[in-house]
Amino acid sequence: MDDNFSSFSQITDEEFKFIKDLMYKETGIFLADHKKIMVQSRLNSRARMHKMQNVSEYIRGLQADRKFFQSELTELINRITTNKTDFFRENHHFEFLKDTFFPSVEEKALKSGKKQLRIWSSACSTGEEPYTIAITCAEYFMHKPGWDIKIFASDIDTNVVQTAQEGIYKADRLEPVSEALKKRYFLKVKDLSGKNQDTYQVKPEIKSMIEFYKVNLLETPYPIREKVDCIFCRNVIIYFDKPTQKKIFENFEHVLKDRGLLVIGHSETLFGISEAYKFLGHTVYQKKPKI
């Protein structure tokens, strides 16, 4: 550590406003005032990494040096975005897939003759959500041959997308996963240090179901070029203001098939935000067909 670096330097209200405006412009994320301490902490680590004396010097660098700004922007976004996730988080959503949604997809396939399923995990974080979706699909369609299933997984944070692609997790991350599923879909491996710790990797047959992307939900067109049957966007829109929320759900309309599923987080709602989706219950919505 640089001896001249303050162990924890504070940012002024003006500096916080600069970061707040920058994050809103680049990502649509609205940083409430109570996030100032969190921002201070995460910017301190970036300033320390660059051997700067304090956060003020780091922010001045972003403001004055275009080259530094461009090289640092992705890392800055990575540091400030929140990535809380678990396997089988809000499990009622996966039960809904198995009990209600997948049977309806099968019914459509009988009429169309097209056994195809596309699901997008639009804020995949470190991968627990798309792998849970893939496992849920694998379990349901295990004895139903001929299905073409693809899961798209994306996040704005390039670091977590890389972690997700690796599909390696410590044993404590797999606590929500039953022993039967763990045995069926994970391999015990050495950790990154080469030691035989309790570390697991998602099996290749599950990983092969998923395509990973870096996606900023505000930037269209999205790299997902196929219409999807279901979009997971859970515990994300709480970080956006209402106009941005409206824009994102509008964007989703172009990617989602008619009567496709939209799944959001337990503390979120589309009430007063979009009329394009019908509420099915338990933060599950269905895109209304075009008249």
Side-chain angles (χ1 to χ4, degrees), residues 88-102 129 132-133 136 230-235 261-268 279 281-285:
F88 292 95
R89 186 182 187 187
E90 298 176 46
N91 190 46
H92 60 273
H93 289 149
F94 304 105
E95 294 298 323
F96 186 89
L97 291 183
K98 288 188 298 182
D99 297 340
T100 306
F101 188 60
F102 291 164
E129 180 178 274
T132 302
I133 294 168
T136 305
C230 175
I231 296 175
F232 274 68
C233 186
R234 303 189 303 168
N235 308 301
L261 219 60
L262 175 63
V263 183
I264 61 176
H266 71 279
S267 61
E268 300 169 326
F279 180 59
H282 297 291
T283 55
V284 176
Y285 292 79

Side-chain angles (χ1 to χ4, degrees), residues 112-166:
S112 68
K114 197 174 183 183
K115 292 182 172 181
Q116 189 183 80
L117 177 62
R118 298 289 184 263
I119 300 176
W120 180 19
S121 168
S122 67
C124 73
S125 188
T126 45
E128 286 89 337
E129 180 178 274
Y131 287 127
T132 302
I133 294 168
I135 288 168
T136 305
C137 289
E139 284 289 290
Y140 184 86
F141 292 98
M142 188 185 296
H143 302 297
K144 300 172 190 286
W147 277 87
D148 170 19
I149 300 170
K150 193 182 290 180
I151 295 151
F152 306 107
S154 67
D155 203 280
I156 193 171
D157 184 333
T158 53
N159 290 334
V160 298
V161 171
Q162 186 178 345
T163 299
Q165 282 179 301
E166 289 164 358

Side-chain angles (χ1 to χ4, degrees), residues 42-286:
R42 296 182 186 184
L43 295 193
N44 263 279
S45 66
R46 289 308 294 166
R48 187 181 293 113
M49 198 277 291
H50 286 291
K51 295 183 166 53
M52 294 174 166
Q53 290 192 356
N54 50 43
V55 174
S56 293
E57 185 182 344
Y58 175 79
I59 291 174
R60 284 197 301 274
L62 291 173
Q63 292 169 324
D65 186 338
R66 187 69 193 164
K67 192 175 177 183
F68 177 70
F69 175 86
Q70 289 175 333
S71 66
E72 187 63 16
L73 182 61
T74 297
E75 270 305 322
L76 176 64
I77 290 169
N78 288 353
R79 286 300 172 103
I80 291 179
T81 49
T82 303
N83 295 296
K84 169 76 175 78
T85 187
D86 293 297
F87 284 98
F88 292 95
R89 186 182 187 187
E90 298 176 46
N91 190 46
H92 60 273
H93 289 149
F94 304 105
E95 294 298 323
F96 186 89
L97 291 183
K98 288 188 298 182
D99 297 340
T100 306
F101 188 60
F102 291 164
S104 74
V105 170
E106 280 189 288
E107 202 175 308
K108 280 183 202 168
L110 282 173
K111 293 174 185 173
S112 68
K114 197 174 183 183
K115 292 182 172 181
Q116 189 183 80
L117 177 62
R118 298 289 184 263
I119 300 176
W120 180 19
S121 168
S122 67
C124 73
S125 188
T126 45
E128 286 89 337
E129 180 178 274
Y131 287 127
T132 302
I133 294 168
I135 288 168
T136 305
C137 289
E139 284 289 290
Y140 184 86
F141 292 98
M142 188 185 296
H143 302 297
K144 300 172 190 286
W147 277 87
D148 170 19
I149 300 170
K150 193 182 290 180
I151 295 151
F152 306 107
S154 67
D155 203 280
I156 193 171
D157 184 333
T158 53
N159 290 334
V160 298
V161 171
Q162 186 178 345
T163 299
Q165 282 179 301
E166 289 164 358
I168 298 172
Y169 302 95
K170 289 282 175 65
D172 62 340
R173 302 299 302 156
L174 267 66
E175 280 179 8
V177 182
S178 72
E179 285 302 317
L181 293 181
K182 196 188 295 183
K183 191 174 180 181
R184 196 139 58 227
Y185 299 113
F186 294 85
L187 293 165
K188 199 164 185 180
V189 295
K190 291 180 180 180
D191 69 5
L192 296 177
S193 68
K195 294 177 182 175
N196 284 309
Q197 304 286 355
D198 280 345
T199 308
Y200 294 83
Q201 184 164 31
V202 180
K203 284 187 176 180
E205 57 264 37
I206 292 297
K207 290 180 81 171
S208 67
M209 294 170 70
I210 306 174
E211 291 181 7
F212 289 95
Y213 300 87
K214 183 209 168 189
V215 172
N216 181 336
L217 295 177
L218 293 185
E219 293 176 1
T220 54
Y222 296 137
I224 286 72
R225 298 301 183 198
E226 299 181 66
K227 289 268 190 180
V228 301
D229 300 280
C230 175
I231 296 175
F232 274 68
C233 186
R234 303 189 303 168
N235 308 301
V236 176
I237 62 167
I238 49 172
Y239 298 105
F240 300 112
D241 63 8
K242 220 163 209 182
T244 308
Q245 290 174 2
K246 285 183 177 182
K247 183 65 182 168
I248 288 169
F249 290 120
E250 217 173 87
N251 292 342
F252 283 166
E253 285 180 60
H254 302 296
V255 183
L256 198 60
K257 292 177 185 175
D258 283 350
R259 293 190 174 87
L261 219 60
L262 175 63
V263 183
I264 61 176
H266 71 279
S267 61
E268 300 169 326
T269 180
L270 264 62
F271 181 74
I273 297 169
S274 176
E275 295 293 320
Y277 304 89
K278 176 186 173 185
F279 180 59
L280 300 181
H282 297 291
T283 55
V284 176
Y285 292 79
Q286 185 180 53

Side-chain angles (χ1 to χ4, degrees), residues 13-66:
D13 289 344
E14 192 177 332
E15 289 168 341
F16 178 64
K17 184 180 184 304
F18 168 75
I19 296 296
K20 186 175 175 174
D21 291 347
L22 175 64
M23 286 296 291
Y24 185 78
K25 178 175 178 287
E26 296 293 336
T27 70
I29 292 172
F30 175 78
L31 292 170
D33 290 342
H34 70 270
K35 297 283 186 182
K36 184 179 177 182
I37 301 295
M38 179 273 284
V39 170
Q40 279 178 181
S41 171
R42 296 182 186 184
L43 295 193
N44 263 279
S45 66
R46 289 308 294 166
R48 187 181 293 113
M49 198 277 291
H50 286 291
K51 295 183 166 53
M52 294 174 166
Q53 290 192 356
N54 50 43
V55 174
S56 293
E57 185 182 344
Y58 175 79
I59 291 174
R60 284 197 301 274
L62 291 173
Q63 292 169 324
D65 186 338
R66 187 69 193 164

